Every structure is written in C-alpha cells, then in structure tokens.
C-alpha cells in the first residue's frame, strides 16, 4: 500500500488505517460520529494526499481539455475551478474531477485516487489521437500534497496562518498564497457541504502545514478527520462518490450531473449523450430516507409491490440529521419526492421514501451557492 | 482501552459474552473489546421473542456507521427477552457493553455448551493473540 507523507502522524494519533484505492488512509481517529460533528460545528482537517493531481500545460492545454471534458471551459477565468466529468464514447463516466485554471496555458486536474492512472492514460491517448502535440501532461500526485480544511471555523483558522485576506476568495475559486510560510494553492471548495478550503502544497512541506494548521485550530475545535466521516459528510450533503454512484457504464444524465454537460460544444461522448437526452434515461439516481427502522447499505435492492426496481449505491446513518439515508438507482418514474419504496435489508422489506437532495444544507449556503460553479 | 472482562460470565470467539442466570437462562451481549472495534453503534436489530437459534447462529445485528455485524448466539436456545431500550439508544452498547448494553436473554436447551466457552482469562488471551 502507498503511504501519504502524513502516514506516521496518523499512526501517532492512533488512527485506524484502511486500504483506500491502494493507499493506507485513516478511516477514523477518535470516532466517525464525533469527527462528523466536529466538521459540521467547528472544523476538520483531512489528509487528501491520495487524490491525483495532473498538470496539463502548453498552448493546446485548453483544446485538449475542451475535447475530453463534458463541461464547457471556454468562459473559465484564471483561478476558477470547474467541476466536470470525463466521458467515454458511450457517454459513461470515466471519472468526476475538478479542473483548476491556473493560467491560460496551465491547468491542474484533480482526480479521484483510484482513477488517477486511468485518467492519465485517457488524457495521454486522447492527446495522441487528436494531435494535440503542444501540450504536456504531467502526473504531480507524488510531488503535491493536499489537505482539506472544512467547517464553519475553517476560514478563521486558515486566516491566522496567512497574510492574504481570504474573504474575497469566492466559492470554487483558487489563489496562491503562503500558509504558515509554505507556498500553497488554496481554493474555497470541498466535499463536506460546509464552507472550507482545499490546500495544495509540496509533499515535503505538507507535514509542516498539517502540524501548523492543527495547532492553529486547536482552540477553535479543529480535529483531524478520517475517511469514515468524510463519507458521512459527503453523503449527508448529497454528494456522489466515484465507484459508488458512478462508473464507466453510468452516464452523467442518470446521476445528478446532467448540469455538467454542455452539448453545444464538441467533446468525446457528446453524440451518445445527445441520443440519451432525446430518448430519456430509464434509470435515475435518487436520494431516499428510511421511513421504518433500518439502515440501507450499498448493494441492497430496492423493491416496489414486491418487484425489484433498483439498487442502493450509498447508504448509512448520517449523524447531523440523525437518520438513515442513501442514494439509489431506480426507474425514472419513481423519482418524485415522497414516492414510497421498500429496501430489502436482510430478507426484510423496510419502507423508505424518495427525498430531495441534498439531505443536509448549511444555513448560510446561499452566500456561496449564488456563484454558479 | 477496553474495560476489564467480568469473570462472572463466559465468552465466545466472536466476541459475545453470556452470563448464566442459574435457571437455564442466560443474558448475552457483545464484549467491550467488540464495541471498541465496531466504534459508534447506530442501530441494533433485535430478535423476535420466541426465536430459536442454534449455537453460533446469528441472533441479532449491530450496525455502526461503517459496518454491519452479526451477533452470534453463544449457546443454543430460545429468545425470551430483548433489551428494547437499544432500539432508541444503541449507543448503550458503546457505553456499557457488559451492563446496560445487554442484547437478549435466552432459555438454553443445551446448557452443557457453556462449558465449551472461554472464561475471562481465556478470552483476554485470545484478544492478545488477535492484536498480534
């Protein structure tokens, strides 16, 4: 298993480590529920060094990305981030990722940990195929570390370690700054449903950054957070996870990523997606909550009137809402809120109902969600 | 750190405890070590009263945020009582696995099975082994 530069620190903190996409990662330090609450009410620090960073540079960087990304990057400004998907010819999702525009000829693509190698191969072969000779694709995952600082106290904590004013930094925007003397790229973004930042810095300095942040945030209640709480936080906020809600045979139209597709521009997968839009998709991802006692888990089957109609992709008990929720694929006719369905839990059918996503929305969210990402 | 395993009961390899009530009935639950491994327990599925189980068959289910685990019956018999409080307060197992976090009571039909279970010292030796 690969280790992040923070591995020894996790062990020293007493974290429980698991294999996640080939990386030894902390699943929890003190407990998933406690860590979840810490992030929602104060702040949490996450080791995200396992995620992939791919540099795309050169005069044709934009052309290549515009060809492979579902999202139209034309109006992206320098410093802006765009959430996007890479789609194959059939319109299936190869990965969901964020595209940072650092300069007109320089982008950084941030990938899921387990997808990084295939994303890299995909970009390289599309480069060859499309004759985008004037672009350089570099895997920077090993040189770059990434920390996520999330929660209502995130800005106050980070502000104590940088001279740059963080207030003007908008949602889904990034800027370079020194944090605790470490040259970093900081974006206001994340995967928890809270305000917060994703911080990128050289691997050799990421340990310093981790220590300084934990220290600076200790009075404000900052805690290290494992992947267990990262999963409950993202699910509660209605966010999807590659490998659960998405794979190469799932189209963005079937999940909640229809808005990431721009069919006005040419990209790989466009024709298939146009067809799909015309015909309509047969299955769709919905959010649900349990009506009766029980916790639905990934892989459990969904029934209506005793007939199997779909499958749960993610499901657990989420601590802030204090209930069992999940995401599931069901036929498009069963997606209206309040639609009842049964989830088969250990040979027993337990009632659930469709609810609108996200399950959880923080109160001040409009401040950031006014900005179209 | 786990709490000390009480010496007034027997233990299974799957981390259940069982206490002989002296009238062919037993109380059972999971050990403190087990709750510590499972972490935050958020759901308990209790058996129906009258359910008959053989030794080491699943008798209940405990779920944490991340995992679903069977609780195996350390002895064969019939469920005569369940700890209904766990339906609303599953965290009692985390807080007091050997006491208030008990799961069910059973009437044994093979009381001799108790002899095959571990005592506290034997169970502790097994945990030490597991940790290595």
């Amino acid at each position: 298993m690969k280790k992040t530069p923070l591995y020894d620190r996790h062990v020293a903190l007493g974290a429980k480590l698991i294999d996640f996409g080939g990386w030894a990662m902390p699943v929890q330090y003190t407990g998933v529920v406690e860590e979840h609450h810490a992030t929602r009410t104060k702040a949490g620090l996450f080791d995200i060094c396992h995620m992939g960073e791919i540099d795309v540079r050169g005069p044709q960087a934009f052309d290549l990305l515009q060809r492979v990304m579902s999202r139209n990057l034309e109006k992206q400004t320098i410093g802006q981030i765009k959430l996007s998907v890479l789609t194959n010819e059939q319109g299936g999702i190869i990965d969901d990722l964020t595209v940072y525009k650092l300069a007109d000829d320089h982008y950084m693509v941030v990938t899921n940990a387990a997808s990084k190698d295939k994303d890299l191969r995909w970009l390289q072969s599309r480069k060859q195929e499309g004759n985008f000779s004037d672009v350089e694709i570099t895997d920077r995952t090993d040189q770059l570390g990434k920390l996520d600082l999330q929660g209502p106290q995130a800005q106050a904590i980070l502000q104590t370690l940088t001279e740059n004013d963080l207030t003007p930094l908008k949602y889904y925007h990034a800027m370079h700054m020194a944090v605790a003397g470490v040259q970093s790229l900081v974006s206001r973004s994340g995967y928890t449903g809270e305000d917060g930042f994703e911080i990128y810095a050289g691997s050799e300095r990421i340990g310093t950054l981790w220590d300084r942040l934990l220290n600076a945030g200790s009075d404000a209640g900052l805690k290290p957070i494992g992947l267990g709480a990262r999963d409950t936080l993202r699910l509660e906020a209605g966010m999807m996870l590659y490998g659960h809600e998405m794979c190469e045979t799932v189209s963005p139209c079937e999940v909640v990523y229809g808005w990431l597709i721009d069919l006005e521009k040419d990209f790989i997968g466009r024709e298939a997606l146009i067809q799909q839009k015309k015909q309509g998709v047969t299955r769709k991802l919905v959010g649900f909550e349990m009506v009766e006692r029980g916790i639905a888990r990934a892989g459990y089957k969904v029934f209506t009137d005793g007939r199997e109609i779909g499958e749960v992709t993610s499901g657990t008990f989420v601590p802030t809402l204090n209930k069992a929720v999940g995401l599931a694929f069901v036929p498009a006719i069963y997606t209206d809120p309040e639609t009842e369905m049964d989830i088969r839990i250990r040979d027993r059918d337990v009632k659930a109902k469709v609810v609108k996503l996200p399950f959880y929305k923080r109160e001040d969210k409009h401040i950031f969600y006014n900005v179209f990402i | 750190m786990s709490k000390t395993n009480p010496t007034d009961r027997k233990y299974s390899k799957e981390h259940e405890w069982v206490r002989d009530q002296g009238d062919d009935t037993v109380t059972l639950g999971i050990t403190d070590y087990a709750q510590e491994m499972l972490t935050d327990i958020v759901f308990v599925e209790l058996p129906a009263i009258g359910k008959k189980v053989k030794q080491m068959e699943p008798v209940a289910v405990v779920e944490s945020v991340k995992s679903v685990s069977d609780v195996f019956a350390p002895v064969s018999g019939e469920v005569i009582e369940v700890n209904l409080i766990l339906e609303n307060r599953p965290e009692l197992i985390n807080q007091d696995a050997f006491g208030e976090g008990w799961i069910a009571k059973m009437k044994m039909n093979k009381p001799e099975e108790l002899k095959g279970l571990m005592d506290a010292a034997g169970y502790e030796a097994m945990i030490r082994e597991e940790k290595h």
Side-chain angles (χ1 to χ4, degrees):
Chain A
M1 266 190 286
K2 293 178 79 172
K3 293 174 182 173
T4 79
L6 304 173
Y7 177 84
D8 292 340
R9 285 171 171 82
H10 301 321
V11 173
L13 284 165
K16 215 177 255 185
L17 297 157
I18 53 152
D19 177 355
F20 184 83
W23 293 78
M25 297 301 290
V27 65
Q28 64 164 59
Y29 298 87
T30 53
V32 174
V33 173
E34 186 186 336
E35 292 167 31
H36 179 106
H37 288 311
T39 309
R40 286 263 182 267
T41 59
K42 295 178 176 114
L45 188 64
F46 303 70
D47 174 7
I48 309 298
C49 295
H50 59 308
M51 279 181 70
E53 291 92 11
I54 300 170
D55 248 8
V56 182
R57 281 186 109 126
Q60 285 186 299
F62 168 79
D63 300 326
L64 172 64
L65 291 176
Q66 189 75 337
R67 171 85 184 125
V68 296
M69 296 290 172
S70 64
R71 198 78 189 271
N72 195 341
L73 305 178
E74 207 162 12
K75 292 196 178 125
Q76 188 175 14
T77 54
I78 292 170
Q80 196 182 16
I81 312 169
K82 292 269 190 186
L83 182 63
S84 180
V85 287
L86 277 182
T87 42
N88 57 28
E89 285 85 352
Q90 294 75 43
I93 304 173
I94 296 169
D95 199 9
D96 69 324
L97 24 70
T98 47
V99 182
Y100 285 67
K101 182 171 182 175
L102 302 177
D104 280 327
D105 58 354
H106 184 191
Y107 293 81
M108 178 174 82
V109 175
V110 182
T111 78
N112 282 293
S115 313
K116 189 259 293 172
D117 290 332
K118 73 169 179 178
D119 292 356
L120 199 58
R121 282 196 301 273
W122 180 262
L123 288 174
Q124 269 151 354
S125 40
R126 298 296 77 78
K127 174 192 160 174
Q128 301 266 310
E129 179 190 83
N131 281 319
F132 299 106
S133 51
D134 234 352
V135 54
E136 205 174 313
I137 300 162
T138 321
D139 179 5
R140 299 197 61 211
T141 308
D142 290 342
Q143 293 116 58
L144 275 184
K146 176 175 186 283
L147 302 180
D148 284 12
L149 176 64
Q150 300 278 300
Q153 295 297 319
Q155 176 163 332
I157 293 165
L158 186 58
Q159 194 64 76
T160 64
L161 295 178
T162 181
E163 312 254 297
N164 292 64
D165 183 9
L166 294 166
T167 307
L169 183 60
K170 286 188 289 185
Y171 188 59
Y172 261 62
H173 282 73
M175 60 199 255
H176 288 280
M177 64 182 77
V179 180
V182 178
Q183 201 46 51
S184 311
L185 177 69
V186 175
S187 63
R188 191 186 294 270
S189 50
Y191 193 51
T192 60
E194 296 304 320
D195 183 24
F197 303 91
E198 295 179 272
I199 307 167
Y200 303 83
S203 296
E204 71 294 345
R205 305 297 306 278
I206 212 77
T208 307
L209 209 48
W210 171 269
D211 296 340
R212 293 289 304 274
L213 279 164
L214 278 184
N215 193 37
S218 66
D219 287 348
L222 177 65
K223 292 224 159 25
I225 313 294
L227 294 183
R230 185 169 166 86
D231 196 47
T232 54
L233 288 159
R234 71 92 190 167
L235 180 61
E236 198 168 59
M239 293 166 164
M240 302 185 292
L241 174 60
Y242 196 82
H244 280 251
E245 282 70 45
M246 296 166 279
C247 66
E248 293 189 23
T249 53
V250 168
S251 120
C253 304
E254 295 172 314
V255 294
V256 286
Y257 274 168
W259 64 282
L260 293 184
I261 308 168
D262 185 348
L263 296 173
E264 302 294 304
K265 70 146 193 170
D266 186 31
F267 65 97
I268 295 163
R270 175 175 175 261
E271 286 70 26
L273 291 169
I274 288 175
Q275 262 332 88
Q276 239 180 53
K277 271 219 158 141
K278 220 183 280 171
Q279 290 163 0
V281 293
T282 53
R283 59 171 181 179
K284 272 204 102 114
L285 191 77
V286 290
F288 66 85
E289 65 176 52
M290 300 307 297
V291 175
E292 295 177 326
R293 274 173 44 79
I295 301 175
R297 306 276 180 177
Y300 288 8
K301 305 286 188 229
V302 182
F303 289 80
T304 182
D305 301 323
R307 198 164 47 85
E308 186 178 325
I309 56 162
E311 189 174 314
V312 176
T313 54
S314 290
T316 187
F317 172 88
V318 287
T320 302
L321 299 175
N322 196 31
K323 56 185 167 192
V325 302
L327 299 168
F329 276 116
V330 294
I333 51 166
Y334 295 104
T335 54
D336 288 337
E338 298 300 319
T339 303
E340 285 208 354
M341 53 198 206
D342 296 321
I343 312 250
R344 189 154 294 175
I345 303 178
R346 296 181 285 277
D347 300 325
R348 212 158 47 84
D349 285 352
V350 183
K351 271 200 185 7
K353 65 173 182 186
V354 175
V355 294
K356 264 182 92 167
L357 292 172
F359 304 109
Y360 162 88
K361 200 184 211 168
R362 73 172 186 271
E363 279 162 26
D364 63 342
K365 198 152 190 176
H366 60 277
I367 300 171
F368 304 104
Y369 265 59
N370 278 339
V371 187
F372 185 62
I373 58 172
Chain B
M1 248 352 252
S2 299
K3 290 175 192 150
T4 322
N5 297 291
T7 52
D8 63 349
R9 58 196 84 192
K10 293 293 191 79
Y11 297 87
S12 76
K13 285 187 178 121
E14 299 288 341
H15 308 285
E16 289 87 13
W17 58 262
V18 61
R19 192 179 56 219
D20 188 356
Q21 306 292 113
D23 55 356
D24 276 353
T25 69
V26 290
T27 306
L28 68 95
I30 64 168
T31 66
D32 196 61
Y33 175 76
Q35 72 74 20
E36 206 175 87
M37 291 298 109
L38 291 168
T39 70
D40 307 300
I41 292 166
V42 292
F43 184 82
V44 181
E45 191 175 285
L46 296 165
I49 306 286
K51 183 186 169 99
K52 292 190 175 69
V53 285
K54 292 201 181 100
Q55 190 178 33
M56 295 325 280
E57 275 181 358
V59 65
V61 177
V62 290
E63 301 195 29
S64 70
V65 171
K66 295 289 288 177
S67 68
V68 181
S69 312
D70 283 322
V71 177
F72 297 97
V75 290
S76 307
E78 183 181 330
V79 176
I80 53 168
E81 196 179 334
V82 294
N83 187 2
L84 278 175
I85 300 166
L86 295 178
E87 291 201 343
N88 293 320
R89 298 186 58 199
E91 68 277 9
L92 279 179
I93 297 180
N94 294 116
Q95 292 161 5
D96 190 11
F98 292 124
E100 281 191 80
W102 66 276
I103 294 172
K105 292 182 182 173
M106 285 174 63
K107 182 153 187 66
M108 294 184 283
N109 57 21
K110 290 182 185 164
E112 65 276 15
E113 285 171 345
L114 283 174
K115 294 196 191 87
L117 298 170
M118 289 174 275
D119 60 11
Y123 178 63
E124 272 153 35
M126 188 193 84
I127 295 175
R128 274 198 301 276
E129 193 91 337
E130 246 182 40
K131 281 180 176 166
H132 292 278

